[in-house]
Amino acid sequence: GYSGGGLMIKCEHPQYKTKPKYICKESDGCSERKNPGVQDEWMENGDVSLYDDTRAGVLMVFFRELKAAGAGTYRCGVNVSHYTESFTELQLNVKH
């Protein structure tokens, strides 16, 4: 993405349609997990907007006003149970 711009990503977990989904910055130790808190509607959580689509099993993540500090490795996951998670890693690069 580009500094000051927006970026939309789709994290697909079709086998876990209704399980709660989240995104966190792995390069920060995933200390702050962002999740929409609700399903099937857009919610803002800090610098991102999130949409947990339970029909498709997709977490839509919209990064607003990208900053260089936002670059890094992210974990886009789903809580399968109290003890199990499934996630995908993605690398976010921010260009000037």
Side-chain angles (χ1 to χ4, degrees):
Y2 289 90
S3 182
L7 179 69
M8 176 81 74
I9 60 167
K10 285 174 35 173
C11 300
E12 300 184 26
H13 297 279
Q15 69 276 41
Y16 303 117
K17 288 182 172 26
T18 60
K19 298 289 186 181
K21 299 165 193 70
Y22 66 88
I23 189 164
C24 60
K25 194 170 180 185
E26 194 165 86
S27 44
D28 287 348
C30 267
S31 56
E32 183 188 358
R33 290 191 175 190
K34 296 182 183 231
N35 57 58
V38 296
Q39 293 179 319
D40 301 314
E41 66 180 87
W42 282 100
M43 293 295 287
E44 290 189 12
N45 189 327
D47 54 353
V48 297
S49 294
L50 302 162
Y51 186 95
D52 184 354
D53 183 342
T54 58
R55 289 178 299 283
V58 171
L59 178 66
M60 304 288 290
V61 182
F62 181 65
F63 290 89
R64 301 184 305 274
E65 297 181 28
L66 286 171
K67 298 174 182 64
T73 304
Y74 286 79
R75 180 184 295 180
C76 202
V78 57
N79 295 319
V80 179
S81 71
H82 288 296
Y83 309 104
T84 310
E85 294 181 352
S86 175
F87 63 87
T88 304
E89 285 186 355
L90 59 102
Q91 184 70 35
L92 176 61
N93 299 310
V94 180
K95 299 176 183 172
H96 296 289

